[in-house]
Amino acid sequence: MESRKIFIRRVASNDVVTFNNFNILKSAAESLGLEVVDTFSIKECLRYGKRDDIYIVTVVSDVVRLWSRGRKNICCWYQGIIPEESFMRNRSTLRFTVLSMYERFALNRCKLNLLVSDSMLKHYNTKYHRQYGKSSYIFPCFNTEVHEKAFMYPEKYVKNYFVYAGGLDVWQCFDHTLEVYKSIEALEIPGTKLIVMTKNQDYARDKIIEKGIQNYEVGFTTPDDLPNVLAKCKFGFVLREDTPVNRVSTPTKLSTYLSCGIIPIYSECVDGFNSLASKMEFVIPWKENGESEIHVKSMMERRIEASDVLSEFNTVFDSYYSNDYHIVNIASLLSKL
């Protein structure tokens, strides 16, 4: 008798961002001792998969296709609230309605729903007037492990280097980040500097000059070399607009910063991380009422021990951002399928 299989259907468009998470899913599946088929093709899942096999997907339309072909052991990882993201881009009520129908179908039919944050669970519970807690597991996006050497970089917590690393899409709020940094630079604390690491260096430099920022550096490096750049930075920006899409998100940039000992300056609307950060000392939730400048100034002038930051951030990487932690938990849940 042919043994059961676990099919993992990756999505090529975002595999760079979610590479680590997909590998966690693969490791969890492999730990069950079943044959694992790692593929980018839903057609391959349908062609070679049997009714009793397990399917892990990230697209709700895949759930519909699998279910309609008699596959019932389905797990879906929801990386964002797609109907709301679509409406922000297209302003199409019809498209929002259709995507929501697919989303609701997937949530109700999947035996396991992997959600990126508690806020996403609350969003679905409210939107569809149903409690999904029993069929859900919180699986945040993250892509790195702790780089202990970065915490020990000479004068890391003496110099006040601020970093922005990533793209310059509108939703990443680069303009607002520059405005916030400008207000920090106005405090005139010695050793303050902005480091921007992005592919679009000319655009970033033009924007920085336009804002009148004085002390800055613009560059770009590979993901593998990025920890060497982040090692000299003390603070990192992750600012977002207060929208449903951002409230449920878990930006991978946060795990990248924390892994290198960087104190994040983040928008409180990122609820998933904000709940975690409420128990942390070396974080700065950004408020638009002037309080945060005082918080930043205090942290800039404070004597900080690298060992204290490492101890706190290690706690986060022992569970919330831990590969092993999620592999064990997800494997246990998959085994019940």
Side-chain angles (χ1 to χ4, degrees):
M1 182 177 178
E2 188 177 357
S3 64
R4 296 177 69 192
K5 299 177 183 178
I6 298 181
F7 288 81
I8 299 176
R9 200 287 224 215
R10 298 186 184 231
V11 181
S13 61
N14 64 356
D15 197 44
V16 173
V17 175
T18 58
F19 181 80
N20 184 64
N21 290 70
F22 273 120
N23 284 346
I24 289 173
L25 294 174
K26 184 177 181 180
S27 295
E30 289 175 339
S31 72
L32 298 180
L34 303 182
E35 180 182 347
V36 177
V37 180
D38 195 352
T39 178
F40 285 100
S41 171
I42 186 61
K43 291 182 180 179
E44 184 175 350
C45 297
L46 291 167
R47 183 178 300 128
Y48 300 110
K50 307 299 181 184
R51 284 178 177 268
D52 290 339
D53 291 334
I54 297 171
Y55 302 85
I56 303 175
V57 300
T58 62
V59 181
V60 292
S61 59
D62 286 351
V63 177
V64 177
R65 294 180 68 179
L66 287 165
W67 183 270
S68 66
R69 298 282 290 274
R71 276 66 164 183
K72 300 298 190 291
N73 295 317
I74 308 172
C75 164
C76 188
W77 177 32
Y78 306 79
Q79 298 167 20
I81 47 176
I82 305 304
E84 285 75 12
E85 290 179 11
S86 173
F87 187 77
M88 287 179 68
R89 288 193 301 269
N90 307 304
R91 295 295 169 183
S92 169
T93 303
L94 175 61
R95 186 174 177 82
F96 172 82
T97 302
V98 172
L99 289 172
S100 294
M101 289 173 61
Y102 275 79
E103 182 180 70
R104 183 174 187 170
F105 181 93
L107 285 163
N108 290 342
R109 298 301 190 280
C110 285
K111 291 187 177 178
L112 176 60
N113 295 302
L114 301 177
L115 313 180
V116 298
S117 67
D118 287 313
S119 297
M120 179 179 276
L121 175 59
K122 293 175 184 176
H123 168 81
Y124 287 143
N125 288 345
T126 301
K127 181 177 180 180
Y128 297 118
H129 308 288
R130 183 167 176 174
Q131 299 300 309
Y132 293 102
K134 290 184 178 180
S135 63
S136 299
Y137 176 76
I138 305 305
F139 184 44
C141 295
F142 64 102
N143 57 3
T144 187
E145 296 180 344
V146 172
H147 301 279
E148 190 167 329
K149 289 183 179 179
F151 289 73
M152 307 304 169
Y153 191 88
E155 296 191 312
K156 177 182 182 72
Y157 299 108
V158 176
K159 295 180 179 178
N160 289 300
Y161 286 2
F162 293 74
V163 66
Y164 174 93
L168 305 181
D169 300 297
V170 173
W171 61 270
Q172 299 196 63
C173 298
F174 182 63
D175 277 16
H176 183 51
T177 297
L178 294 182
E179 292 168 2
V180 169
Y181 175 77
K182 178 66 176 176
S183 70
I184 293 170
E185 189 176 68
L187 298 173
E188 297 184 341
I189 296 176
T192 303
K193 183 179 182 179
L194 175 65
I195 297 175
V196 175
M197 301 302 294
T198 184
K199 284 185 178 180
N200 200 342
Q201 297 177 60
D202 291 338
Y203 179 85
R205 193 174 289 106
D206 289 344
K207 282 291 184 180
I208 290 170
I209 294 172
E210 179 185 306
K211 297 292 183 184
I213 291 170
Q214 300 299 311
N215 198 14
Y216 66 90
E217 174 186 325
V218 178
F220 177 70
T221 189
T222 63
D224 289 341
D225 191 53
L226 184 60
N228 295 326
V229 176
L230 298 181
K232 63 183 178 181
C233 300
K234 182 177 178 180
F235 302 98
F237 290 109
V238 187
L239 301 180
R240 298 287 187 267
E241 290 185 15
D242 189 0
T243 65
V245 171
N246 288 327
R247 284 196 289 272
V248 307
S249 69
T250 53
T252 55
K253 194 177 299 186
L254 283 165
S255 67
T256 300
Y257 286 165
L258 265 64
S259 73
C260 294
I262 292 175
I263 299 169
I265 300 173
Y266 70 96
S267 297
E268 285 188 305
C269 67
V270 183
D271 286 344
F273 182 77
N274 193 45
S275 298
L276 177 74
S278 65
K279 303 172 185 177
M280 298 172 65
E281 180 179 1
F282 299 105
V283 294
I284 301 175
W286 186 261
K287 301 179 175 66
E288 303 296 339
N289 58 7
E291 290 182 13
S292 297
E293 281 95 340
I294 298 172
H295 193 173
V296 173
K297 184 175 185 294
S298 173
M299 200 73 81
M300 291 172 74
E301 295 176 333
R302 174 181 169 183
R303 180 183 176 87
I304 295 175
E305 296 295 337
S307 58
D308 292 338
V309 183
L310 178 61
S311 176
E312 178 172 271
F313 289 5
N314 264 334
T315 301
V316 178
F317 279 86
D318 283 342
S319 55
Y320 190 74
Y321 288 141
S322 166
N323 288 5
D324 292 341
Y325 175 84
H326 291 296
I327 288 171
V328 170
N329 289 342
I330 293 173
S332 175
L333 293 168
L334 289 175
S335 70
K336 298 175 183 178
L337 301 190

